[in-house]
């Protein structure tokens, strides 16, 4: 039996549940500067207009040369557009995130968050298998504009790692 194009496209064995505009950010506990210093996403983003951007890993070339530095460079401009909080999350431990922030002088403008077990990445369905290069699952590169913890705008890199759609410059243009 020959299936129509619609029937072929409609069949899939797994559904994609990417977080979408209008969704609340999943409530997950993340680490700040140490494993003992934690905050839930609900508490962090409550009552604020925020940008949360995710990177595959601290100290990786794209993350260190353009993604995080772009948000540092444009932090003041983003805040004049009504952004209260800019946060960066990665599947790394708190010590790595803290050291990375110190190295790039990010801590004044950017809140660095460690998703050490990848729980937020999984809950947002924004993880990908980077075991060949980074040892395990990591965040797809993305940026989200949040209002009181709800996604207003979402920018996900289609190839997981480029820095264009989720860049500070692109987010700024779309505010």
């Amino acid at each position: 039996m020959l299936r129509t194009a619609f029937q072929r496209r409609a069949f899939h064995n797994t559904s994609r549940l990417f977080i979408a505009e209008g969704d609340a950010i999943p409530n997950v506990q993340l680490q700040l500067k140490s494993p003992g210093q934690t905050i839930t996403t609900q508490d962090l983003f409550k009552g604020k207009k925020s940008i949360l951007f995710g990177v595959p890993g601290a100290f990786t070339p794209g993350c260190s040369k353009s993604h995080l530095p772009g948000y540092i460079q444009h932090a003041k401009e983003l805040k004049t557009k009504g952004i209260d909080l800019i946060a960066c999350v990665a599947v790394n431990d708190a010590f790595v995130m803290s050291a990375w922030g110190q190295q790039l002088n990010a801590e004044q403008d950017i809140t660095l968050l460690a998703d050490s077990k990848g729980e937020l990445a999984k809950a947002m369905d924004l993880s990908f298998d980077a075991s060949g290069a980074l040892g395990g699952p990591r965040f797809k590169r993305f940026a989200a504009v949040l209002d009181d913890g709800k996604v207003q705008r979402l920018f996900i890199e289609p190839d997981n790692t480029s820095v264009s759609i989720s860049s500070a410059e692109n987010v700024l243009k779309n505010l």
Side-chain angles (χ1 to χ4, degrees):
M1 179 170 124
L2 187 60
R3 292 186 180 161
T4 66
F6 175 76
Q7 289 169 318
R8 283 190 303 255
R9 278 196 312 255
F11 174 78
H12 47 80
N13 60 4
T14 59
S15 61
R16 299 306 299 165
L17 301 174
F18 293 115
I19 193 160
E21 292 177 0
D23 290 349
I25 197 91
N27 192 26
V28 173
Q29 189 168 334
L30 300 171
Q31 298 171 351
L32 294 163
K33 294 180 187 243
S34 73
Q37 186 182 6
T38 62
I39 192 163
T40 63
T41 52
Q42 184 177 28
D43 289 340
L44 181 64
F45 299 117
K46 185 177 184 173
K48 298 178 189 107
K49 186 153 187 183
S50 310
I51 294 174
L52 173 65
F53 67 101
V55 298
F59 293 105
T60 59
C63 305
S64 294
K65 291 179 182 171
S66 56
H67 210 188
L68 179 57
Y71 280 95
I72 296 167
Q73 178 184 349
H74 293 288
K76 287 179 182 48
E77 205 173 341
L78 289 162
K79 290 182 180 185
T80 63
K81 296 267 190 174
I83 299 298
D84 301 309
L85 172 73
I86 304 168
C88 176
V89 65
V91 179
N92 281 114
D93 66 67
F95 300 119
V96 167
M97 291 299 286
S98 183
W100 186 45
Q102 288 171 6
Q103 183 186 48
L104 294 176
N105 297 314
E107 295 176 314
Q108 182 177 356
D109 298 310
I110 313 294
T111 300
L112 295 165
L113 303 167
D115 184 18
S116 62
K117 297 177 187 172
E119 292 171 342
L120 182 61
K122 287 179 210 151
M124 294 176 74
D125 197 21
L126 289 177
S127 66
F128 76 103
D129 182 7
S131 52
L134 300 172
R138 297 298 180 117
F139 260 108
K140 295 179 181 196
R141 195 179 301 279
F142 78 95
V145 177
L146 310 173
D147 192 355
D148 196 29
K150 289 200 176 182
V151 179
Q152 303 300 305
R153 299 292 314 264
L154 186 60
F155 309 88
I156 303 171
E157 298 292 347
D159 69 353
N160 301 334
T161 60
S162 291
V163 183
S164 58
I165 294 169
S166 63
S167 70
E169 296 81 4
N170 188 56
V171 171
L172 189 56
K173 277 193 311 193
N174 285 281
L175 284 179

